[in-house]
Amino acid sequence: LGQDLTALGLNLNSPDNLYPTFGGPWAEHPCRPQDIDFHVPPEYLVN
Amino acid sequence: PLGAVPLQKEHQQQFQMMESAYYHMPHPSDSERTRTYLPRNPIHTPPYYIQQPLPHSDTLEFYQRLATETLFFVFYYMEGTKAQYLAAKALKKQSWRFHTKYMMWFQRHEEPKIINEEYEQGTYIYFDYEKWGQRKKEGFTFEYKYLE
Amino acid sequence: YDDPPGLMEKTDFLLKDWINIYHSASGRDSTKAFSMFVHQMNVHGILKTDDLITRFFRLSTQLCVEVVCRNLAETVTPTVIRAKCYYTLDAFVRLIALLVKHSGDSNNTTTKIHLLNKVLGIVAGCLLQDHETRMTEFQQLPYHRIFIMLFLELCAPEPVLEAINFQVLTAYCHTYHILRPSKAAGFCYAWLELISHRVFIGRMLAVTPQQKGWAMYAQLLIDLFKYLAPFLRNAELAKPVTMLYKGTLRVLLVLLHDFPEFLCDYHYGFCDVIPPNCIQMRNLILSAFPRNMRLPDPFTPNLKVDMLQEISYAPRVLTNFAALITPSQFKKDLDSYLKARAPVTFLSELRSNLQVSNEPGMRYNIPLMNALVMYVGTQAIAYIRSKGLTPNMSTIAHSAHMDIFQNLTVDLDTEGRYLFLNAVANQLRYPNSHTHYFSCTLLYLFAEANTEAIQEQITRVLLERLIVNRPHPWGLLITFIELIKNPTYKFWNHEFVHCAPEIEKLFESVARSCM
């Protein structure tokens, strides 16, 4: 009978696109805000 | 009515390779820039915190309401994220400047007493990784999601 | 490779030197460090000839892979191991990115893309060779990281990179196609992660204008389906297959949610390679509909489908299915039959053109069957329109097109008819002229069937698509509802409807949700 596609960790009712926070084919959760790269000025990369 | 079809030899070889790869699955951080303090493996926010990001939490106004220390923490610990970018903007709104040579934030004092070609007199804020590293060893953890 | 003597040592020395530079403080904005390092490379004569640059990249890739495989063999905590792997790989990637960005003067995109293609080809070559020699010891990580981190570096918001982004995407799609799972099965999980990375999907399907990335992305998905097909053909999936299959479902769900028009446009090519028993995955693709379209609830009482405005619009089908009808003599005979409804012998030879073996489950050429059904159906719509009519239960009858469909229904064996009915059911999607025509065709074949076995099989083909978990294509629902509601088909009188209590209950539950 196939899978319950609503239980794969994707918010299928989201009004926004899913791809910008897609965690990948094995991820049970979308990426969190802090997982998403943001192009900050290179001098901010002090780590 | 199609029924099962036996795997051909070529597919059996492919399956063998796939099966061995199955035991070395990619790790989430394999696809992300190296982030020392923000690994991709989820740190579950304890139930007593709000589980969803606060409304408008990725706007400058939200960051302007955060304490200065929090802004520094976000800047140094959430490197390469939108949070760092907004924290930097909020700090600049509070007349802090980022010194690209020393990789530090500093705030001019009203009447600068000593000004030499090295640097202006003022309050310099930097992140002492060694000290923090020290505290981290004491088992100190923090929630990435909420820094309040 | 007969590398010049000493080149390996020289490469090893330079690579180590670069890695230190990259990770030192000045490495932050590596451009300064980079110009010093390029000078070093020049001093060592690495950049003298194309051949030496090629050797340098191959040797560097092999050295990086060696280091990573040694790290992975260590028994410390995985995060430490991975940090050590990234330490080497990220530096190597930055070097490649800088060499690509700064090769030739800033507006000379050709040299940049030429170098990128070269490097991607070298890394792919190393991967395939590694895959062949290491066999089950093969490690995805180094190649996975090199490809994705280089892609992210080349997608940084810089004018020089934006100017070559489409060529970067094209180079990457070529490379990923070379490394498709059927060529490097040991890389398949990393491969799926690479082609479904949020930045890659965004660039391929959203950011690149005029949908220029869509055809290339569709090709990558077809590579994936072709690889999965033999494993999915058997109901019991081994764990490694289930992992890849569930990963594929997640990617398709993201595409269904964010880019339904993409799935609409390429559904034909996808369904051509997805095994017929992969019902839910196929339903997922067939359920896509344009975002600006509002679908009437299929359960609306007295829904007049042929009154819907969209029902007369032909959907975009970006596969040239007519060209898939081979051999050319068969296509010629088909066209002349469609035109003249003669010679009748064409009908009696149909099956022999479609049957390729006597092996149960492998008897028919499925892509040819799909193409034939699609071609005859679209020709039928055009023919009916050319007479100023619109397709409905009466205008589709008594035509060369319907002769062919009825002949296939009667003349094929159970397996062949199942594939034929599937080819028809694969067109039951959102409201458009194909959905409407093929829905009428299926109902007409049911009404005109000369044996109950045919009616049962039509019901089975619809039912197996309805009983799986959601989503269900709109066209499938309205066809089944019409079949069980319209007394013309005397659906409830058939024996097979009452063949078992749970089947009867199932029909009734569907019927109840219709009333």
Side-chain angles (χ1 to χ4, degrees):
Chain A
L1 296 181
Q3 324 255 342
D4 173 2
L5 300 185
T6 61
L8 292 179
L10 292 164
N11 175 8
L12 300 176
N13 296 321
S14 158
D16 308 318
N17 277 338
L18 301 179
Y19 77 86
T21 58
F22 182 46
W26 333 115
E28 303 282 344
H29 310 275
C31 286
R32 305 160 300 175
Q34 64 267 31
D35 297 324
I36 305 296
D37 258 350
F38 193 83
H39 288 288
V40 293
E43 57 270 17
Y44 284 2
L45 301 177
V46 291
N47 224 323
Chain B
L2 298 177
V5 171
L7 287 181
Q8 290 155 28
K9 192 162 171 9
E10 172 203 9
H11 302 138
Q12 283 165 12
Q13 284 164 354
Q14 287 173 352
F15 179 77
Q16 261 184 349
M17 292 300 288
M18 174 162 63
E19 189 175 37
S20 58
Y22 172 71
Y23 293 107
H24 309 293
M25 284 300 285
H27 186 277
S29 57
D30 292 349
S31 301
E32 308 295 344
R33 264 185 231 292
T34 306
R35 294 256 197 77
T36 318
Y37 301 102
L38 280 175
R40 253 290 296 278
N41 44 339
I43 293 176
H44 291 294
T45 305
Y48 46 83
Y49 279 126
I50 307 169
Q51 298 297 314
Q52 292 305 324
L54 292 170
H56 316 301
S57 57
D58 68 345
T59 63
L60 180 57
E61 293 66 37
F62 179 89
Y63 281 81
Q64 284 182 278
R65 294 204 307 272
L66 296 180
T68 309
E69 290 74 9
T70 305
L71 294 174
F72 286 129
F73 194 102
V74 169
F75 178 83
Y76 283 107
Y77 269 88
M78 303 187 82
E79 180 173 296
T81 64
K82 190 171 183 182
Q84 181 190 41
Y85 182 77
L86 291 170
K89 270 185 165 302
L91 282 165
K92 287 175 183 172
K93 291 267 184 190
Q94 295 175 15
S95 77
W96 287 91
R97 290 286 169 271
F98 187 65
H99 207 302
T100 48
K101 183 174 178 189
Y102 301 113
M103 312 262 209
M104 296 183 191
W105 286 96
F106 81 104
Q107 193 174 46
R108 276 191 185 77
H109 287 168
E110 282 60 48
E111 60 296 335
K113 297 191 180 59
I114 310 168
I115 289 188
N116 61 24
E117 76 289 346
E118 263 302 290
Y119 64 94
E120 283 182 71
Q121 188 169 6
T123 305
Y124 283 77
I125 296 280
Y126 65 95
F127 218 91
D128 176 349
Y129 292 102
E130 287 63 38
K131 186 160 71 62
W132 178 265
Q134 187 59 35
R135 288 186 70 192
K136 196 118 164 60
K137 283 197 197 77
E138 286 147 19
F140 180 88
T141 58
F142 53 87
E143 306 309 326
Y144 293 133
K145 200 169 252 184
Y146 290 107
L147 301 154
E148 291 298 77
Chain C
Y1 292 109
D2 50 43
D3 289 328
L7 185 61
M8 168 59 103
E9 294 70 17
K10 214 182 273 185
T11 304
D12 192 18
F13 163 75
L14 282 168
L15 194 58
K16 283 195 173 81
D17 187 26
W18 169 255
I19 290 171
N20 292 331
I21 294 173
Y22 171 76
H23 286 290
S24 68
S26 63
R28 272 297 135 217
D29 77 349
S30 347
T31 24
K32 249 200 311 295
F34 173 66
S35 44
M36 279 165 21
F37 184 73
V38 165
H39 174 68
Q40 274 253 61
M41 289 176 89
N42 266 321
V43 163
H44 286 81
I46 297 289
L47 302 177
K48 215 163 17 187
T49 66
D50 212 30
D51 174 60
L52 275 171
I53 294 176
T54 304
R55 293 174 189 278
F56 171 78
F57 278 120
R58 173 172 48 77
L59 293 168
S60 307
T61 304
Q62 287 166 340
L63 284 166
C64 287
V65 171
E66 277 310 314
V67 167
V68 167
C69 288
R70 271 204 308 276
N71 290 342
L72 289 172
E74 287 172 18
T75 53
V76 287
T77 54
T79 30
V80 171
I81 288 182
R82 287 191 124 79
K84 288 171 83 172
C85 296
Y86 303 162
Y87 185 88
T88 302
L89 295 168
D90 294 359
F92 179 47
V93 163
R94 174 61 58 82
L95 176 60
I96 299 172
L98 289 166
L99 284 169
V100 168
K101 249 170 42 177
H102 297 293
S103 75
D105 42 326
S106 62
N107 53 17
N108 182 341
T109 57
T110 316
T111 45
K112 298 179 196 333
I113 290 304
H114 173 76
L115 180 57
L116 174 63
N117 273 304
K118 174 197 285 291
V119 174
L120 291 177
I122 289 166
V123 176
C126 291
L127 188 156
L128 290 171
Q129 196 216 27
D130 210 14
H131 186 263
E132 212 162 289
T133 43
R134 287 182 203 262
M135 290 300 288
T136 52
E137 295 309 307
F138 174 77
Q139 290 286 357
Q140 310 178 80
L141 172 59
Y143 304 99
H144 177 191
R145 182 103 180 149
I146 289 173
F147 284 125
I148 190 59
M149 296 317 284
L150 180 58
F151 183 72
L152 294 178
E153 293 259 0
L154 296 175
C155 285
E158 292 169 31
V160 72
L161 294 174
E162 287 303 341
I164 59 172
N165 190 255
F166 185 65
Q167 294 96 316
V168 168
L169 293 174
T170 306
Y172 261 86
C173 286
H174 286 165
T175 306
Y176 290 160
H177 178 63
I178 289 167
L179 298 174
R180 56 190 179 276
S182 50
K183 295 293 175 197
F187 189 63
C188 67
Y189 298 107
W191 186 88
L192 180 56
E193 188 147 339
L194 286 166
I195 73 157
S196 65
H197 189 277
R198 57 184 185 274
V199 178
F200 189 72
I201 286 187
R203 289 279 174 167
M204 289 299 291
L205 301 179
V207 173
T208 303
Q210 297 113 34
Q211 302 168 356
K212 286 194 305 185
W214 283 24
M216 290 191 287
Y217 198 77
Q219 179 53 54
L220 293 174
L221 287 179
I222 285 174
D223 289 341
L224 174 62
F225 296 139
K226 280 183 176 172
Y227 173 73
L228 275 169
F231 302 110
L232 296 181
R233 185 64 188 276
N234 303 320
E236 298 312 310
L237 300 188
K239 277 209 178 79
V241 178
T242 306
M243 173 68 86
L244 195 60
Y245 175 66
K246 268 179 87 171
T248 304
L249 287 179
R250 278 200 183 90
V251 176
L252 290 174
L253 281 168
V254 172
L255 299 179
L256 178 64
H257 182 279
D258 296 356
F259 307 101
E261 292 83 359
F262 168 75
L263 293 181
C264 293
D265 287 357
Y266 290 93
H267 88 282
Y268 180 88
F270 297 156
C271 291
D272 223 15
V273 292
I274 288 175
N277 61 309
C278 225
I279 295 167
Q280 185 181 35
M281 184 153 84
R282 187 181 50 205
N283 271 355
L284 198 161
I285 290 167
L286 299 178
S287 302
F289 60 89
R291 269 168 298 191
N292 60 2
M293 187 178 279
R294 289 287 151 267
L295 299 193
D297 179 349
F299 296 107
T300 311
N302 311 321
L303 174 63
K304 290 274 170 285
V305 168
D306 40 7
M307 304 307 281
L308 295 175
Q309 187 197 358
E310 297 88 352
I311 219 74
S312 57
Y313 301 152
R316 269 195 342 172
V317 181
L318 292 179
T319 310
N320 180 0
F321 49 81
L324 299 174
I325 300 176
T326 53
S328 56
Q329 188 50 49
F330 175 49
K331 177 71 169 34
K332 278 199 201 82
D333 298 347
L334 170 63
D335 282 330
S336 56
Y337 186 80
L338 288 175
K339 201 172 167 145
R341 210 171 172 186
V344 179
T345 50
F346 172 77
L347 294 177
S348 52
E349 288 154 13
L350 252 185
R351 173 169 175 170
S352 58
N353 282 291
L354 293 165
Q355 187 154 355
V356 290
S357 88
N358 274 315
E359 184 79 21
M362 311 278 281
R363 288 198 188 94
Y364 293 90
N365 176 340
I366 298 179
L368 179 56
M369 177 80 83
N370 292 338
L372 175 69
V373 167
M374 191 69 176
Y375 183 73
V376 171
T378 48
Q379 293 293 311
I381 295 168
Y383 172 70
I384 293 166
R385 286 262 176 77
S386 69
K387 295 191 296 180
L389 302 168
T390 54
N392 58 42
M393 292 310 283
S394 47
T395 56
I396 64 174
H398 314 307
S399 67
H401 312 86
M402 195 47 77
D403 293 348
I404 289 174
F405 289 152
Q406 285 187 288
N407 181 279
L408 290 172
T409 307
V410 171
D411 198 24
L412 288 170
D413 62 8
T414 307
E415 177 180 330
R417 191 166 48 239
Y418 175 75
L419 295 171
F420 162 63
L421 294 171
N422 258 312
V424 175
N426 285 352
Q427 303 315 318
L428 304 178
R429 299 190 291 145
Y430 60 90
N432 63 52
S433 61
H434 294 185
T435 295
H436 186 223
Y437 174 81
F438 285 107
S439 176
C440 293
T441 297
L442 215 49
L443 294 167
Y444 180 81
L445 293 173
F446 187 95
E448 298 294 315
N450 56 5
T451 66
E452 183 155 77
I454 291 173
Q455 293 169 319
E456 176 177 341
Q457 194 162 21
I458 291 173
T459 307
R460 279 171 176 269
V461 164
L462 293 172
L463 193 65
E464 71 177 8
R465 292 167 180 242
L466 285 161
I467 58 178
V468 293
N469 274 318
R470 291 176 300 159
H472 300 110
W474 180 85
L476 171 69
L477 291 166
I478 55 131
T479 305
F480 190 69
I481 290 165
E482 178 66 10
L483 178 63
I484 63 175
K485 250 168 72 174
N486 188 327
T488 316
Y489 307 109
K490 304 189 189 70
F491 181 79
W492 299 96
N493 304 357
H494 291 286
E495 181 118 342
F496 58 80
V497 173
H498 312 285
C499 64
E502 62 273 25
I503 290 292
E504 191 161 7
K505 263 201 231 79
L506 184 102
F507 283 131
E508 280 161 7
S509 73
V510 176
R512 257 196 310 282
S513 45
C514 301
M515 301 313 168

